[in-house]
């Protein structure tokens, strides 16, 4: 039998971090029932439902709910407290026992517990054990990478995709770029499949195979993002490239693969040039189709986002424009083509990736707060 019947943990969780999880896990250890409430405002840019999903994945024993709370954040204003608590009570399950424990780190828990006629349980006062906060994460996620759950890391990771026609050096550049940054590249599954598939590289291709390749490429990318040691991922091709290879080998477009590609926009595309000598490795079509495929890559990338005359100009496309618009449109993905020898290509790619790595993903400011012990 645990100490409390029903524990309550509230917050913006913008985004969830190790301090939040310590609160929730302490509640689960000490309470028979735990409700976690994600209280989001309309000005915040990470959807409340997504934050709730992140918390559910990390604390499956808790009941995690979310609601809109646009009341002013003023810990000295009784009316503001009334409005916040009204939202909190509305999110409780009426079939649950009354809240008899409120768990917080900051001292606003005194007033919150009083309003629920509950016991205040303070966890890690002044964040001495886990020195992290939502505002600190938003300002510099890389510095607080240790404190972020895998799904939150994956959301913050910026994804750079190197792609191009056959024998344009995309795998070499992706490996060089990742290696220079101390990362492992996400390698191209389609290359593996073209060798291992029934019939080998020369057998007729089928749409189902490209569905398989696209889903596996996406899975590998997502797995790598969740475990990335920094907020950056370097990928040797992606699902967008798979749509073009479907055209090439099947003869028409694949709505399924294209739908997956449209839902998976990276932060930057690097197209490797076709000016270098063609090398036949036994799996490639041949030089006679390379230039036509390269033109098709250029055409599709031009329709996907802005072409960068200066690769370092990528930072101009960061910030609020990263967010989806209300009608569901997503911003374009900037791209540039890199040419020259191996060292030159790496230097140009690094000039673009450096600013990308040091510019945190845009997160809108939360509501301003007054009083003390903000949550």
């Amino acid at each position: 039998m645990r100490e409390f019947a029903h524990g309550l943990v509230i917050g913006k969780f913008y985004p969830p971090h190790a301090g939040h999880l310590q609160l929730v896990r302490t509640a689960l250890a000490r309470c028979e029932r735990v409700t976690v409430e994600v209280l989001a405002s309309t000005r915040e840019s990470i959807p409340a439902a997504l934050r709730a999903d992140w918390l559910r994945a990390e604390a499956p024993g808790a009941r995690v709910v979310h609601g809109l709370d646009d009341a002013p954040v003023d810990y000295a204003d009784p009316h503001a407290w009334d409005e916040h608590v009204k939202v909190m009570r509305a999110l409780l399950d009426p079939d649950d026992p009354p809240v008899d424990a409120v768990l917080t780190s900051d001292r606003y828990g005194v007033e919150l517990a009083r309003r629920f006629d509950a016991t205040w349980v303070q966890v890690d006062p002044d964040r001495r054990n886990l020195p992290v906060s939502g505002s600190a994460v938003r300002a510099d996620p890389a510095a607080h990478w240790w404190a972020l759950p895998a799904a939150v890391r994956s959301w913050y990771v910026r994804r750079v995709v190197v792609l191009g026609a056959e024998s344009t050096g995309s795998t070499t550049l992706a490996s060089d770029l990742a290696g220079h940054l101390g990362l492992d590249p996400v390698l191209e599954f389609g290359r593996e499949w073209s060798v291992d598939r029934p019939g080998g590289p020369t057998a007729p291709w089928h749409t189902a195979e490209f569905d398989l390749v696209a889903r596996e490429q996406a899975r590998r990318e997502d797995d790598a993002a969740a475990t990335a040691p920094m907020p950056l991922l370097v990928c040797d091709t992606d699902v967008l490239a798979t749509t073009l290879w479907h055209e090439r080998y099947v003869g028409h477009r694949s709505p399924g693969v294209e739908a997956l590609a449209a839902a998976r926009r990276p932060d930057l595309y690097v197209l490797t040039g076709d000016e270098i000598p063609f090398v036949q490795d036994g799996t490639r079509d041949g030089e006679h189709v390379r230039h036509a495929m390269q033109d098709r890559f250029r055409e599709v990338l031009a329709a996907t986002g802005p072409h960068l005359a200066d690769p370092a100009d990528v930072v101009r496309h960061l910030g609020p424009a990263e967010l989806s618009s209300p009608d569901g449109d997503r911003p374009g993905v900037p791209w540039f083509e890199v040419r020259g020898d191996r060292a030159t290509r790496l230097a140009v790619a690094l000039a673009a990736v450096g600013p990308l790595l040091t510019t945190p993903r845009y997160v809108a400011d939360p509501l301003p707060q007054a009083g003390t012990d903000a949550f």
Side-chain angles (χ1 to χ4, degrees):
M1 188 73 175
R2 292 184 173 87
E3 184 178 356
F4 301 103
H6 188 184
L8 176 64
V9 179
I10 59 105
K12 293 189 296 290
F13 305 99
Y14 190 53
H17 54 67
H20 295 136
L21 299 180
Q22 182 184 37
L23 272 175
V24 176
R25 289 166 182 162
T26 300
L28 289 168
R30 299 184 63 176
C31 306
E32 294 292 333
R33 179 73 167 163
V34 174
T35 298
V36 179
E37 297 186 351
V38 179
L39 305 177
S41 76
T42 51
R43 67 184 295 169
E44 295 164 358
S45 55
I46 304 177
L50 179 59
R51 287 177 259 169
D53 285 343
W54 287 340
L55 287 166
R56 290 186 191 105
E58 295 295 324
R63 175 178 176 261
V64 181
V65 293
H66 62 88
L68 179 63
D69 186 0
D70 272 331
V73 182
D74 186 344
Y75 296 94
D77 183 352
H79 177 68
W81 269 105
D82 290 342
E83 294 303 307
H84 291 301
V85 172
K86 184 186 301 182
V87 174
M88 296 174 201
R89 291 191 182 279
L91 292 172
L92 294 173
D93 187 336
D95 294 330
D96 281 342
V99 170
D100 59 350
V102 167
L103 295 93
T104 73
S105 175
D106 297 315
R107 288 192 57 81
Y108 74 81
V110 173
E111 177 63 15
L112 184 60
R114 186 188 70 79
R115 287 174 172 264
F116 277 92
D117 193 23
T119 299
W120 176 43
V121 178
Q122 190 174 27
V123 180
D124 193 12
D126 302 319
R127 301 181 176 90
R128 289 190 292 266
N129 295 329
L130 289 171
V132 62
S133 67
S135 58
V137 170
R138 293 191 297 274
D140 192 352
H144 299 88
W145 209 237
W146 60 271
L148 300 182
V152 181
R153 289 187 183 190
S154 183
W155 186 87
Y156 266 109
V157 161
R158 291 198 179 279
R159 307 184 187 208
V160 176
V161 175
V162 183
L163 75 182
E166 290 180 331
S167 192
T168 57
S170 56
T171 298
T172 297
L173 179 57
S175 298
D176 288 350
L177 180 59
H180 185 89
L181 297 168
L183 302 171
D184 293 322
V186 180
L187 296 178
E188 180 183 4
F189 173 67
R191 178 179 293 273
E192 299 174 27
W193 177 253
S194 67
V195 174
D196 296 338
R197 62 189 290 265
T202 60
W205 285 79
H206 305 282
T207 293
E209 293 181 87
F210 288 94
D211 290 338
L212 168 67
V213 168
R215 290 195 304 271
E216 175 62 15
Q217 191 70 40
R219 185 197 66 78
R220 292 185 177 194
E221 183 180 317
D222 290 344
D223 286 353
T227 58
M230 64 179 71
L232 185 74
L233 200 65
V234 178
C235 306
D236 174 21
T237 201
D238 74 344
V239 180
L240 180 67
T242 305
T243 68
L244 300 185
W245 295 118
H246 184 279
E247 285 185 10
R248 167 74 184 94
Y249 290 110
V250 181
H252 58 81
R253 299 169 63 177
S254 167
V257 177
E258 291 188 2
L260 182 60
R264 302 181 58 82
R265 302 270 185 129
D267 294 276
L268 178 67
Y269 279 118
V270 181
L271 178 66
T272 46
D274 59 348
E275 84 288 358
I276 62 177
F278 182 88
V279 176
Q280 178 56 265
D281 65 358
T283 66
R284 292 168 174 160
D285 281 345
E287 190 170 8
H288 65 290
V289 297
R290 181 173 66 155
H291 297 304
M293 280 299 298
Q294 187 75 355
D295 286 341
R296 183 65 179 129
F297 271 97
R298 294 187 186 107
E299 179 183 1
V300 168
L301 289 176
T304 301
H307 176 256
L308 302 179
D310 178 3
D313 195 35
V314 64
V315 294
R316 187 168 62 84
H317 299 273
L318 307 179
E322 294 182 286
L323 304 177
S324 298
S325 63
D327 62 4
D329 290 338
R330 294 175 65 90
V333 180
W335 67 281
F336 65 92
E337 186 166 353
V338 63
R339 305 171 76 85
D341 61 22
R342 185 170 178 174
T344 299
R345 289 179 172 210
L346 176 59
V348 173
L350 284 170
V353 172
L356 193 67
L357 180 59
T358 57
T359 305
R361 190 171 298 287
Y362 175 79
V363 178
D365 291 333
L367 288 170
Q369 54 200 25
T372 59
D373 287 340
F375 60 97

